[in-house]
Amino acid sequence: MGPVKIEPRLTTDAVIAADGYRLPLRRWTPEPGVPTRAVILALHGFNDYSKSFDGPGGYFAGRGVAMYAYDQRGFGATRDPGVWAGGDTLAADARAVLKLLVKAHPGSPVFLMGESMGGAAAVLALTSGEPLPVRGVVLSAPAVWGFETMDFWPRTALKLANAALPGMVATAPPELNIRPSDNIAMLRALADDPLVIKGARVDALHGLTEMMGAALAALPRLDLPTLALYGAHEQVLPPEPVAKARALLAANPKATVKVYPDGWHMLLRDLQAARVWEDAAAWIDGRLQD
């Protein structure tokens, strides 16, 4: 993040950060006259952007829960698509926006939701700095594949590539055949969406990996109600870091871990996504009664 220039603020379609950086914003709110029972800040995944929450955003708004999502730095319609801003900066942005939402919705409990990379950003936001007035966090397939859980050769190759060719764009080889979801129509729409980044700079992959490792290390410090969601068909994240994260969360008395037998990595947009939304809504309702 750059030097502080202004007070952060919300506009109708953006978050203006303290350094003046503009984060395009989407919001899904209850119908006029319907009280806002709670507020969710949703953080999208790597190479994705805020539109990814169209489905759950509309669902939650229909239940009296407002959802906000912004394009994180380096993604979507921000000014530097593909350029890695740093995990600390992504977490700082989330903390700033959470504070803005608390002010904008006095009396309405605020929750944080993170999908994949957004889950890592959520964990870092909630475990750094002073405690935030957040009622709980929902982590959907949180990305925690850090260097310490990588095999030797992939770890070494990424570090060498980052030192030699940080700006080179890498894409996953087709032969890996990694399937992120069973919702083929949605995946095709993402492939056609110009705001969804295809491939990634090597330095962005390196920075993401550092961020994921930091999030895994921070999980034991996550000290508020947590709902962690996983799909049994997870292919984007390897089994070892997922197992480590699930074990850490299972040991946390404030955390609930749920695994969907028909779920994939993109649980909030899989074919059975509505069931995931319903479970998250029921969990949030429970926190509102605590």
Side-chain angles (χ1 to χ4, degrees):
M1 182 181 291
V4 173
K5 299 178 180 178
I6 60 173
E7 282 291 322
R9 69 182 189 274
L10 293 174
T11 71
T12 55
D13 61 354
V15 176
I16 309 302
D19 61 353
Y21 197 102
R22 184 179 185 275
L23 304 167
L25 176 71
R26 283 178 167 80
R27 59 180 81 198
W28 300 265
T29 55
E31 293 291 332
V34 177
T36 298
R37 300 189 300 117
V39 177
I40 300 172
L41 173 61
L43 305 176
H44 63 76
F46 188 70
N47 282 355
D48 213 336
Y49 68 112
S50 55
K51 185 181 178 182
S52 61
F53 294 104
D54 267 350
Y59 171 81
F60 277 99
R63 294 178 57 92
V65 177
M67 179 176 282
Y68 292 75
Y70 59 89
D71 296 0
Q72 299 189 72
R73 296 186 192 228
F75 302 98
T78 61
R79 70 174 185 234
D80 304 311
V83 176
W84 182 249
D88 290 344
T89 294
L90 300 186
D93 282 338
R95 289 179 61 84
V97 179
L98 283 169
K99 293 175 183 178
L100 289 172
L101 292 179
V102 169
K103 292 180 181 178
H105 294 274
S108 295
V110 175
F111 292 82
L112 184 56
M113 176 183 288
E115 179 183 54
S116 193
M117 180 196 77
V123 171
L124 293 179
L126 295 172
T127 55
S128 59
E130 76 281 0
L132 295 170
V134 175
R135 188 67 65 90
V137 59
V138 178
L139 304 174
S140 180
V144 291
W145 188 20
F147 282 113
E148 66 278 10
T149 56
M150 274 188 174
D151 291 337
F152 173 79
W153 288 115
R155 179 174 67 245
T156 302
L158 179 53
K159 290 187 174 183
L160 289 174
N162 184 62
L165 297 166
M168 183 181 71
V169 175
T171 56
E175 57 268 22
L176 285 180
N177 196 30
I178 294 174
R179 186 175 174 185
S181 176
D182 59 351
N183 189 340
I184 304 305
M186 178 272 296
L187 294 176
R188 287 173 176 163
L190 292 182
D192 293 336
D193 190 333
L195 291 183
V196 174
I197 299 173
K198 285 75 177 177
R201 287 169 54 114
V202 168
D203 53 2
L205 292 172
H206 187 274
L208 171 65
T209 304
E210 290 182 325
M211 178 185 179
M212 292 191 293
L216 181 61
L219 271 180
R221 304 196 304 273
L222 192 58
D223 188 29
L224 77 168
T226 301
L227 175 63
L229 308 171
Y230 291 94
H233 297 289
E234 173 68 61
Q235 293 185 5
V236 174
L237 302 173
E240 181 185 352
V242 170
K244 284 189 174 183
R246 284 177 55 181
L248 289 170
L249 289 162
N252 184 343
K254 294 184 179 181
T256 300
V257 179
K258 187 170 180 61
V259 181
Y260 293 87
D262 298 329
W264 298 71
H265 182 70
M266 303 174 81
L267 285 166
L268 298 173
R269 288 172 284 179
D270 286 347
L271 292 180
Q272 46 79 59
R275 183 150 46 98
V276 179
W277 306 343
E278 292 167 1
D279 289 344
W283 182 83
I284 287 174
D285 287 345
R287 305 292 73 71
L288 296 179
Q289 298 168 13
D290 288 346

